[in-house]
Amino acid sequence: MQLYIVTWKFESSEDQIYSSEAFVDYVESGKSEDHIDGYERIAWAHTPQDGTGVIICKASNASTLFRVFGSWRDKFGMTWEYKPALSTEEFVGLLKEK
């Protein structure tokens, strides 16, 4: 699976506030820990002061990420960016190949 850095941003503070109850339910109900084929969340961090955040995850492809995050975009006006990334070990290996 490919390592990804995923960032999100709310279009407005109203959208962020509107999503709060759904997010609390998502976490407290255990849904945030549900297994999704082709996806593994490694870490997530929230920066609510500006309506953004970051997820570090592994996914089989970008289509999987769209399935994982698409409903949040549809319901709460969030934009998502996906960037393939390298672990430190992968990056060091590439540098040593030079």
Side-chain angles (χ1 to χ4, degrees), residues 54-83:
V54 175
I55 295 173
I56 299 173
C57 63
K58 290 184 178 180
S60 54
N61 53 48
S63 297
T64 299
L65 295 175
F66 184 80
R67 284 194 301 277
V68 171
F69 304 122
S71 65
W72 292 92
R73 181 179 67 93
D74 295 343
K75 293 177 187 172
F76 303 112
M78 300 169 77
T79 57
W80 297 84
E81 291 188 23
Y82 319 140
K83 287 195 244 180

Side-chain angles (χ1 to χ4, degrees), residues 7-91:
T7 58
W8 75 81
K9 181 177 182 176
F10 285 94
E11 292 296 317
S12 70
S13 59
E14 291 82 11
D15 289 336
Q16 183 178 2
I17 292 166
Y18 177 64
S19 75
S20 297
E21 186 177 324
F23 184 73
V24 169
D25 180 58
Y26 176 68
V27 172
E28 289 185 344
S29 70
K31 293 176 194 169
S32 65
E33 299 303 319
D34 285 353
H35 173 75
I36 300 168
D37 279 341
Y39 174 79
E40 174 191 350
R41 186 182 64 242
I42 297 169
W44 55 358
H46 308 265
T47 47
Q49 67 273 19
D50 66 358
T52 65
V54 175
I55 295 173
I56 299 173
C57 63
K58 290 184 178 180
S60 54
N61 53 48
S63 297
T64 299
L65 295 175
F66 184 80
R67 284 194 301 277
V68 171
F69 304 122
S71 65
W72 292 92
R73 181 179 67 93
D74 295 343
K75 293 177 187 172
F76 303 112
M78 300 169 77
T79 57
W80 297 84
E81 291 188 23
Y82 319 140
K83 287 195 244 180
L86 299 172
S87 68
T88 300
E89 293 79 13
E90 290 170 319
F91 186 50

Side-chain angles (χ1 to χ4, degrees), residues 90-98:
E90 290 170 319
F91 186 50
V92 168
L94 287 172
L95 293 173
K96 290 170 91 177
E97 287 177 9
K98 289 183 170 187

